[in-house]
Amino acid sequence: MAEKNIAPSTARSSAVMAAGTLVSRVLGLVRTALLAIAIGNTGLVTDIFSSANVLPNFIYLMVAGGVFNAVLVPQIIRASKRPDRGSEYVSRILTLCLLVLGCIAALATLAAPLILPLVTALNPAQLPLATTFAYWLFPQIFFYGAYAVIGQILNANGRFGAYMWAPVVNNIVAIAGLLIFITFIGREETSSFSPETWTSQATILLAGSTTLGIVLQAVVLLIPLRRLRLGLRPSFGLRGVGLRQTGKVAKWTILTMLIGNGAYLVYTKVATIASSARPEYQAMGQEIAGHLNLETASMLYIIPHSVITLSLATVLFNTMSHAYAEKDYDGVRATLSQGLRAIGVATVFCSAVLIVLAGPISIWFSGGSNVSATLQAQVLVLLACTAPFLSATFLMNRAFYANEDAKTPLIMQVILSAFGVALALAAAILPADKIIFALAVAYSLGNIAAVVVSHIFLTRRLGNYGAARVFDVHVRLVVAALGAAAVGSAALRMMGGYAVDGFAWQSLGAATVVMLVCGVLMAGTYYLMLRWLKVTELDAFLKPVLAKIRRTA
């Protein structure tokens, strides 16, 4: 199979997107740390807000996200080749999407009192506050969808940067809201918030600022959309612009998202069993991991995926779509193979870092409690060990959607969802203090199973896409990461990372120093190991960075 290098334009586009995602993720970490200070990591209000806050994005993804994120780009690319650059098609599809999103958001908000008891296991004392949060948070469904569909229009036209930089605005607004909350309402450490003492002013500041951030995240994309000069306008006619093909692909994608997010719904329901039991354990003087701990760990372990994989995969998705359109199947296989090897360089190392430094990292999101940090770190380790599998699965699935094949991902999702639901139900029968850890293990087993299933179906569809070489590179990457982990663990032990009264656990400043020292040592070791093991994929990341430094100099 012919080898193709990632084009300079692809590297530049990926770098711009990765930079935006990195800034957004860093701000997201600050936001999560402030949230832990504001309402705690294991507080009584914590999981109530977390349960309501994840639902808007979940509902959007369940009913429409797959269509926007995977189906529209190939269709818009084809429409862009028309004399009007796809203006008529985009106008009509955008109008339709916004109308559907508005209806979904309105119905979900009105039905919040019915939805929450179905999708969570919160007890009757916790549900009223969760419903109040939902009224403020569920309108986000419309703006999540608007952000996604406008972003895909921009991506299809080669404007990748804005889509990845817009979440920066969201995080800045949310951070400002949390700072105001801490200043005028208080913090969990001193206020010990509970559903009984929570106020409407606290709801407005916490939930209101969260929703405002999502609104502005979508609104800022109108600026680059206008600069495309497509002459977009409201258009309600649906015939004659090729929407039938979009519908054929969309129906499979909708089913896939319904099944996949249905499985996630089971995980959420099981996780809130632990949240509901938290007051009982706290009465006995014991803290347990809850829903927010699982969400925070998920946010942390998905950072390499978000910064590296999403940025590169978004560009490679366009490349594979063009290759399929030209029936260049060797090009598809080469792009997929090199993409899998390239993202592995970063995700395998980041997985090792998250595992070794889970303790110091979690101190930032514990609200000042080392007990909470310990619980958070344990959940993070269980998830982080399969972070590379998550990224690999994502890119492998893009190979199907680039060919407008949404039926195969549906079949795979049915298999994986059945596996995941079985694991989640098994977790539900455990004691409440073990449930979150069991769910983290279930997530990790699901990530591994997803790569195996995706490989089987890809091989049947594409033939040999270079899986043996991908596996060989990843074996060397793991060996290098193990070497880096050994060095990092030794340094962490010397800095008190494995003792409850050690330096690493003394303060946020101490934890930060430990992360920096151990992180640098691990990065240096990883680099030397990769050179020794002759992993040439490392250059795919170093070349654009070094070129940028030389141009700046």
Side-chain angles (χ1 to χ4, degrees), residues 373-447:
T374 302
L375 291 170
Q376 187 65 69
Q378 292 171 19
V379 181
L380 177 56
V381 168
L382 293 174
L383 285 176
C385 58
T386 60
F389 290 88
L390 173 71
S391 295
T393 300
F394 181 85
L395 186 57
M396 294 165 85
N397 273 265
R398 296 305 94 177
F400 294 108
Y401 287 117
N403 193 33
E404 298 183 37
D405 174 12
K407 187 175 180 179
T408 301
L410 169 62
I411 297 171
M412 295 190 298
Q413 189 62 67
V414 170
I415 297 171
L416 295 171
S417 292
F419 180 65
V421 167
L423 293 175
L425 294 177
I429 64 177
L430 297 174
D433 60 333
K434 303 293 192 300
I435 286 177
I436 300 300
F437 302 121
L439 289 176
V441 172
Y443 270 128
S444 286
L445 292 176
N447 288 336

Side-chain angles (χ1 to χ4, degrees), residues 21 27 54 91 100-102 111 153 169 215 227 284 315 325 335 339 352 357 381 388 424 445 452 468 482 484 493 499:
T21 306
L27 291 175
V54 300
S91 292
V100 171
L101 286 166
I153 293 170
V169 177
V215 172
R227 289 176 180 169
M284 297 185 294
V315 181
T335 300
L357 299 179
V381 168
L445 292 176
V452 174
L482 288 173
R493 180 175 296 279

Side-chain angles (χ1 to χ4, degrees), residues 70-87 89-90 93 152-160 246 314-326 401-404:
V71 176
L72 290 182
V73 171
Q75 295 292 333
I76 295 171
I77 287 175
R78 284 165 172 74
S80 67
K81 299 178 188 279
R82 300 173 183 171
D84 67 345
R85 296 170 54 217
S87 174
Y89 176 86
V90 173
I93 203 71
Q152 298 299 8
I153 293 170
L154 294 171
N155 288 346
N157 284 274
R159 305 292 192 272
F160 300 102
T246 300
T314 301
V315 181
L316 295 181
F317 181 46
N318 276 19
T319 303
M320 288 190 288
S321 295
H322 283 292
Y324 271 120
E326 297 169 2
Y401 287 117
N403 193 33
E404 298 183 37

Side-chain angles (χ1 to χ4, degrees), residues 53-68:
N53 193 36
V54 300
L55 286 176
N57 193 35
F58 162 75
I59 294 171
Y60 152 70
L61 288 172
M62 188 168 186
V63 299
V67 177
F68 293 166

Side-chain angles (χ1 to χ4, degrees), residues 39 42-51 122-133 181 188 191-203 206 275-276 278-280 282:
I39 63 173
T42 53
L44 294 178
V45 174
T46 297
D47 285 336
I48 299 175
F49 177 74
S50 174
S51 299
L122 297 175
N123 63 49
Q126 298 166 328
L127 277 173
L129 181 56
T131 303
T132 301
F133 282 140
F181 181 97
E188 172 67 18
S191 302
S192 298
F193 295 116
S194 69
E196 294 75 24
T197 62
W198 193 259
T199 65
S200 57
Q201 292 85 353
T203 298
L206 183 61
S275 303
S276 182
R278 177 169 277 165
E280 178 184 344
Q282 288 181 336

Side-chain angles (χ1 to χ4, degrees), residues 221 241 370 379 450 507 539 544:
L221 289 186
V241 292
N370 282 355
V379 181
S507 65
D539 295 328

